[in-house]
Amino acid sequence: MFNPGYFEDDILGGSMYPRSISHRAGGPPRRFDEYYRCYPIAMLPGPERDNVNHGGKAILPPSALDKLTRLHITYPMMFELRNGAADKLTHAGVLEFIAEEGKIYLPYWV
C-alpha cells in the first residue's frame, strides 16, 4: 500500500540521503550541467563493445571527469539525461571517460 507521508517523520528529513550527502550543508547543491551530442555505442571508435549495449552506462569525454572531480561529487555517479526536443528523461551511470570532446555514447535502448 502506498503511504505518501511515510518518510515525513524520518530522521533524514524525508530524503533518501542525509543533507550532508545529498549536497553541501549550508551551500548550493553541486551540479554537473553539460550538453553533449549523443551517439550509440556502435559508433564509438576502437574495438567493438557489444556488452556495453546491455547495461545502463554511458561513455563520457575526459573533460567531464575533470569537471566532476572539481565538484567533489559522491560515488557512484548517476546522471540524469534529458532530451529537450522530445521532452524525455532517463538516468544512466558512467562506464568510462574516453569519448571525444562534446560527445557521449549511450546504449542503443537509451
Side-chain angles (χ1 to χ4, degrees):
M1 176 183 275
F2 177 70
N3 182 359
Y6 181 76
F7 291 106
E8 287 178 4
D9 296 325
D10 194 358
I11 61 169
L12 298 178
S15 173
M16 185 172 149
Y17 299 106
R19 187 171 189 85
S20 62
I21 293 175
S22 61
H23 58 79
R24 291 178 288 194
R30 295 165 293 187
R31 189 174 172 99
F32 178 75
D33 194 5
E34 294 293 325
Y35 294 90
Y36 296 106
R37 286 201 163 260
C38 298
Y39 295 94
I41 295 288
M43 294 185 70
L44 181 67
E48 285 191 33
R49 300 169 182 251
D50 292 329
N51 60 334
V52 179
N53 273 322
H54 302 292
K57 301 208 178 206
I59 297 179
L60 294 165
S63 63
L65 178 60
D66 181 49
K67 290 176 186 176
L68 290 164
T69 303
R70 283 186 269 131
L71 289 172
H72 302 289
I73 53 116
T74 57
Y75 293 89
M77 289 184 239
M78 184 62 81
F79 299 95
E80 181 178 274
L81 307 174
R82 290 182 182 262
N83 181 340
D87 197 33
K88 292 188 178 183
L89 170 81
T90 190
H91 293 85
V94 64
L95 182 65
E96 294 182 72
F97 293 95
I98 60 169
E100 297 90 13
E101 292 303 320
K103 296 182 181 180
I104 182 174
Y105 293 93
L106 300 167
Y108 68 91
W109 59 270
V110 174

